[in-house]
Amino acid sequence: MRRRRFLGIGAAAVGAGTLGAFAVPTAARLLTEGRPGLLLNSTVPLPEAFQVPLPVPPVLRPVSSDGGTDHYEITQKAARLEILPGLRTETWTYGGSYPGPTLAVRSGRQTVVRHRNELPVPSVVHLHGGHTPAESDGYPIDLILPFGSDRSLAAPGMAGMAGMPGMEHPADLPLGRITDGDRSYTYPGNQRAATLWYHDHRMGFTGPGIWRGLSGFHLVHDDEEDALPLPRGDRDLPLMLADRAFAEDGSFRYPAVDPALAVPGVTDDYMNGVLGDVLLVNGAPWPRLDVDRARYRLRLLNSSNARLYRLELDPQPSGGGALVQIGGDGGLLEAPLAHDAVEIAPAERFDIVVDFSRYPPGTSVRLMNRFGSERTTEVMRFDVSSRTVSDDSAVPERLSDFERLDRAAAVTTRTFGFRRSRSDGWTINGQPYQPGRALARPALGTTEIWRFFTDVHHPVHLHLDPFQVLSRNRADPGPYDAGWKDTVDLRPAESVEVLVRFTDYPGTYMLHCHNLEHEDMAMMADFVVE
């Protein structure tokens, strides 16, 4: 189906409330390979690898604290940053940096983050992995309008819905919790230590929003984690992996159907995801880091729109098991798992300990991406120091008092199919996204089994509560499914069962694919906890 004809159908579907202004991916493009996406090449000469020092995002300090609450302020604004050496890139930022500042918070303390929007477009902030009340979860039409903009643009039924023409929904449904210029998000802190992240979540435009820079770390700490002898301080490193493409002037390239981002969607060839030819770590291209001959904790986050990574150290240390996993999306595992490589899908996190004392002094160790090609096979480099240092860290055999959910406690099983529809694009259970239409209504306090199945590759993300993986294709979970998860990697023609318990907060939440081009083209669904 060609774009012009499909856009006409999308416009006709506005009255039905579906997210419709996008084109349908061609079957030929989807089935050419098991991994998603198409490479978008840069048109600027790319720098040599391992020339730029690894930057570490600054930790944001609260503007005030009272009782059990810490208050933060972040201004969303455009900034011209030096990402490629010698060039400036127009970037959408949290607080003027990419990645945005890291929030390091305590479990049990409430966090309130006030976001002021000085971008040229509306925004929505989602704390990914956050156990959050619905009004602060980042529902995709809960817009923060740009400071000083015209609120009338957000009225139901008006073309544009705050800059999103073709994406209106029925007038009898609420438009969303829209605020003018700023919004405060409240995170109660009722969750265990974990590596979380925050990012833009605006309906139809999450892909270009994150591509242009709207992402940052949100680290939760607790007493259980603090009692362990894990690496800390400068040896506890958040590493945000992302791929991007750049134009001759250093600007980001992105195949949006509308460069002004008034109409959502990407051009036909990129319907299955956009891949860049530059790998960034914490916003730097192929960086390098001097490391001691000691253990380091690497908090790996895949913030790419669609790229999958298979990460491996080169050379491998003698004896293998170089990557010791201590945590995942939802925090510490019960016990460490040693891997030679880890596979990480968009939005997944892996907390890994690497012991660089296993390498001779002066060794250069590359972090490789075995799913990449040409320049995207290398991620960054660690240069092992020759000096002698002390290291009192360790990885204990037991990490956490881990609660295992009971399958027998599940009150029902629900099935969700993630598939391409010839008429409606990316769908869940055959339906493109419509705000206000719930595909499930679990009861607060209950446990359910949710079964996901797919045609092609989809990383599936569940808001509100983490889950535990029960099975893949009715067999055991995979090697990277351990612990509490909020995103699970569904491979082509695969089914995965997860066990989830709905706790604390009623309201409307989301289930969606975290391939951002799929998400923006309707592969989302509401569920309501009652």
Side-chain angles (χ1 to χ4, degrees), residues 344-369:
I344 180 169
E348 285 190 301
R349 286 91 67 208
F350 285 84
D351 276 19
I352 300 293
V353 172
V354 174
D355 185 356
F356 288 105
S357 70
R358 299 175 67 184
Y359 290 98
T363 304
S364 288
V365 182
R366 295 181 299 166
L367 181 62
M368 305 298 293
N369 171 28

Side-chain angles (χ1 to χ4, degrees), residues 375-397:
R375 295 299 304 274
T376 63
T377 60
E378 295 179 316
V379 180
M380 66 173 294
R381 192 179 76 190
F382 302 95
D383 292 332
V384 181
S385 172
S386 299
R387 63 193 178 99
T388 301
V389 297
S390 62
D391 181 15
D392 58 359
S393 71
V395 179
E397 293 183 2

Side-chain angles (χ1 to χ4, degrees), residues 61-308:
R61 302 302 179 191
V63 295
S64 65
S65 297
D66 53 77
T69 302
D70 298 315
H71 299 264
Y72 296 83
E73 293 183 355
I74 294 175
T75 298
Q76 303 173 13
K77 58 185 178 181
R80 292 181 59 78
L81 305 180
E82 185 173 343
I83 296 176
L84 299 181
L87 293 172
R88 292 284 172 174
T89 301
E90 177 86 3
T91 309
W92 291 353
T93 74
Y94 294 119
S97 68
Y98 170 62
T102 296
L103 276 73
V105 306
R106 296 294 303 180
S107 176
R109 284 190 65 81
Q110 181 171 263
T111 298
V112 177
V113 186
R114 177 177 173 265
H115 280 265
R116 176 184 170 97
N117 183 6
E118 295 183 359
L119 296 168
V121 297
S123 66
V124 175
V125 181
H126 172 53
L127 178 57
H128 188 116
H131 185 55
T132 304
E135 59 270 19
S136 290
D137 186 56
Y139 191 64
I141 56 174
D142 286 355
L143 304 175
I144 310 173
L145 300 183
F147 186 78
S149 64
D150 184 357
R151 187 180 177 87
S152 67
L153 291 176
M158 292 191 65
M161 200 180 89
M164 294 184 282
M167 299 176 63
E168 296 86 348
H169 61 289
D172 60 343
L173 292 176
L175 183 64
R177 306 173 186 91
I178 295 175
T179 58
D180 298 302
D182 64 11
R183 179 183 181 86
S184 291
Y185 294 85
T186 299
Y187 308 126
N190 184 21
Q191 61 187 114
R192 65 205 297 260
T195 300
L196 312 182
W197 64 303
Y198 61 101
H199 62 76
D200 191 48
H201 205 248
R202 180 167 65 114
M203 188 169 81
F205 297 95
T206 299
I210 293 179
W211 188 272
R212 292 190 180 200
L214 292 175
S215 55
F217 280 99
H218 184 114
L219 308 181
V220 182
H221 301 283
D222 66 12
D223 293 342
E224 180 184 49
E225 180 189 67
D226 288 349
L228 298 175
L230 298 172
R232 60 188 73 237
D234 292 341
R235 295 176 187 166
D236 182 352
L237 292 171
L239 300 179
M240 179 182 291
L241 311 183
D243 58 337
R244 298 290 184 267
F246 295 85
E248 288 94 339
D249 61 357
S251 61
F252 287 124
R253 294 193 71 202
Y254 186 78
V257 66
D258 174 16
L261 299 185
V263 176
V266 291
T267 56
D268 288 350
D269 285 346
Y270 294 93
M271 294 296 171
N272 198 24
V274 183
L275 309 178
D277 60 353
V278 178
L279 294 192
L280 304 177
V281 184
N282 292 348
W286 300 288
R288 56 171 295 276
L289 177 69
D290 292 327
V291 294
D292 296 325
R293 296 187 67 239
R295 295 179 187 86
Y296 281 72
R297 178 177 182 170
L298 309 181
R299 299 175 182 260
L300 301 171
L301 158 65
N302 182 355
S303 71
S304 302
N305 283 33
R307 181 178 291 279
L308 302 170

